[in-house]
């Protein structure tokens, strides 16, 4: 027999059905989606920061390579200028001061002063400890990870150019007077006494002193530039990312022919006793 449901029965049934629905999960339905979106944003930001940082690091390494190669190219130009100057008297010098003055002619000076950019080389200062550990103070000063050492070489190059120009200006009138007094052909082979017939002892002594200083500094700088060009690439390669060098390009490695090495090593020392007598030391 079918029994009719009362209003109260219907209400009880509705409540029973509603009790069968799953309860809302606050974490699952609200907090988790928000946290997931937040974490996704954080991860995206971190990845973007990593990409930018990595790009900046690569650019910094490329700047090290470019700056080092520019400095080496400048050193090459200076070296060749000094090599050309020395070519005017290479193989002609003896140890006698007067002969050394007379055999070096006035030299055509078309060389420009050197003004290299050092801003990109400060990675040497930052990372110098990687290449100069356990070295003495003097070894540290002489090392080419020491920027003041490199600056000194280029500064001395500019100084020696000025010295050569000064020498040119001072010797030309003296040489002309010596030739006029000792030769009818325009060429004179003279000794110190012959020179004194055309110029005072003081003037000749000053010229000889200047001549010896400029010859010595030229030889020193040729050796310094050669050493710089050989040593700096070795140091730089220790401080620059090898991966970047493989993809972007390496620091120049320079080699010198036996003939060039012979020019640099060809140094004829002056007779110090004879020099002292002339200078009155």
């Amino acid at each position: 027999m079918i029994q009719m449901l009362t209003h109260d029965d219907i209400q009880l049934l509705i409540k029973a059905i509603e009790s069968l629905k799953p309860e809302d999960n606050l974490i699952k339905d609200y907090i988790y989606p928000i946290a997931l979106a937040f974490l996704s944003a954080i991860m995206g930001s971190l990845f973007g920061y990593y990409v930018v940082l990595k790009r900046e690091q690569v650019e910094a390494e490329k700047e090290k390579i470019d700056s080092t190669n520019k400095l080496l190219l400048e050193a090459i130009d200076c070296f060749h200028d000094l090599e050309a100057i020395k070519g005017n008297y290479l193989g002609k010098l003896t140890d006698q001061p007067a002969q050394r003055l007379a055999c070096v002619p006035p030299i055509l000076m078309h060389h420009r002063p050197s003004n290299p950019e050092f801003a990109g080389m400060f990675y040497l200062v930052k990372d110098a400890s990687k290449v100069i550990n356990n070295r003495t103070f003097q070894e540290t000063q002489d090392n080419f990870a020491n920027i003041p050492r490199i600056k000194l070489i280029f500064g001395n190059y500019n100084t020696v150019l000025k010295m050569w120009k000064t020498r040119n200006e001072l010797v030309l009138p003296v040489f002309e007077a010596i030739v006029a007094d000792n030769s009818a052909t325009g060429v004179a082979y003279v000794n110190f006494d012959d020179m004194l017939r055309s110029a005072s002892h003081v003037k000749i002594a000053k010229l000889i002193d200047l001549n010896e200083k400029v010859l010595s500094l030229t030889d020193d700088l040729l050796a310094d530039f050669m050493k710089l060009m050989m040593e700096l690439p070795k140091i730089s390669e220790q401080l620059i990312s090898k991966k970047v060098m493989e993809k972007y390009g390496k620091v120049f490695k320079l080699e010198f022919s036996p003939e060039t090495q012979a020019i640099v090593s060809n140094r004829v020392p002056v007779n110090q006793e004879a020099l002292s007598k002339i200078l009155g030391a």
Side-chain angles (χ1 to χ4, degrees):
M1 179 176 181
I2 300 176
Q3 185 176 356
M4 295 295 293
L5 295 176
T6 66
H7 177 72
D8 292 337
D9 292 333
I10 292 173
Q11 291 297 321
L12 290 172
L13 181 61
I14 290 173
K15 289 180 179 181
I17 293 173
E18 288 179 343
S19 67
L20 295 175
K21 292 173 60 182
E23 296 182 358
D24 291 338
N25 189 317
L26 181 62
I27 294 177
K28 178 180 179 182
D29 295 339
Y30 298 99
I31 298 178
Y32 179 74
I34 294 173
L36 182 62
F38 179 74
L39 289 174
S40 297
I42 291 293
M43 292 300 293
S45 298
L46 288 175
F47 179 74
Y49 174 76
Y50 172 79
V51 171
V52 172
L53 181 62
K54 193 68 177 177
R55 186 183 300 120
E56 290 178 348
Q57 290 175 340
V58 170
E59 290 302 316
E61 296 300 295
K62 289 164 67 174
E63 175 64 22
K64 293 178 185 179
I65 296 171
D66 289 340
S67 297
T68 305
N69 284 339
K70 287 179 182 178
L71 186 68
L72 288 170
L73 287 174
E74 184 70 16
I76 291 171
D77 286 344
C78 294
F79 179 85
H80 286 322
D81 286 345
L82 295 172
E83 187 180 22
I85 289 173
K86 188 171 182 176
N88 287 276
Y89 55 87
L90 182 67
K92 299 177 182 178
L93 297 179
T94 68
D95 67 344
Q96 293 303 306
Q99 185 273 341
R100 293 159 70 89
L101 173 64
C103 80
V104 181
I107 296 173
L108 180 63
M109 300 296 295
H110 57 272
H111 316 88
R112 61 173 179 81
S114 178
N115 186 30
E117 177 59 56
F118 288 97
M121 298 302 298
F122 279 94
Y123 73 91
L124 294 175
V125 176
K126 179 181 177 182
D127 300 324
S129 60
K130 296 179 181 179
V131 294
I132 60 176
N133 280 335
N134 302 318
R135 298 195 179 192
T136 66
F137 176 79
Q138 189 58 50
E139 288 173 336
T140 301
Q141 295 302 302
D142 293 340
N143 191 277
F144 288 107
N146 180 16
I147 291 180
R149 167 86 169 102
I150 301 174
K151 283 186 173 182
L152 180 63
I153 294 174
F154 285 97
N156 285 342
Y157 170 80
N158 291 335
T159 297
V160 84
L161 290 186
K162 293 177 182 178
M163 291 173 68
W164 276 111
K165 290 178 181 178
T166 299
R167 180 192 181 278
N168 283 348
E169 294 169 359
L170 295 178
V171 300
L172 187 57
V174 174
F175 281 5
E176 289 176 347
I178 291 172
V179 171
D181 292 341
N182 294 275
S183 174
T185 63
V187 178
Y189 297 92
V190 297
N191 56 31
F192 182 66
D193 292 334
D194 296 327
M195 291 181 178
L196 295 181
R197 297 192 189 101
S198 305
S200 69
H201 186 288
V202 172
K203 182 175 288 187
I204 296 298
K206 287 182 177 179
L207 286 177
I208 286 176
D209 184 46
L210 175 60
N211 192 63
E212 289 306 320
K213 288 176 179 176
V214 74
L215 290 178
S216 178
L217 185 53
T218 299
D219 281 336
D220 289 343
L221 284 171
L222 280 167
D224 285 342
F225 275 117
M226 177 177 280
K227 189 173 182 181
L228 170 66
M229 291 184 285
M230 293 176 67
E231 295 298 325
L232 184 58
K234 297 176 185 177
I235 294 172
S236 297
E237 286 189 343
Q238 298 179 59
L239 306 177
I240 300 175
S241 168
K242 290 181 172 54
K243 290 183 179 179
V244 174
M245 285 193 291
E246 289 173 357
K247 293 181 180 179
Y248 180 68
K250 297 184 178 181
V251 173
F252 296 147
K253 284 187 176 179
L254 303 169
E255 296 183 359
F256 296 91
S257 67
E259 292 77 14
T260 299
Q261 295 180 45
I263 291 174
V264 174
S265 62
N266 187 311
R267 303 186 65 157
V268 181
V270 66
N271 184 313
Q272 290 295 332
E273 183 179 354
L275 181 62
S276 296
K277 288 180 179 179
I278 292 173
L279 300 182

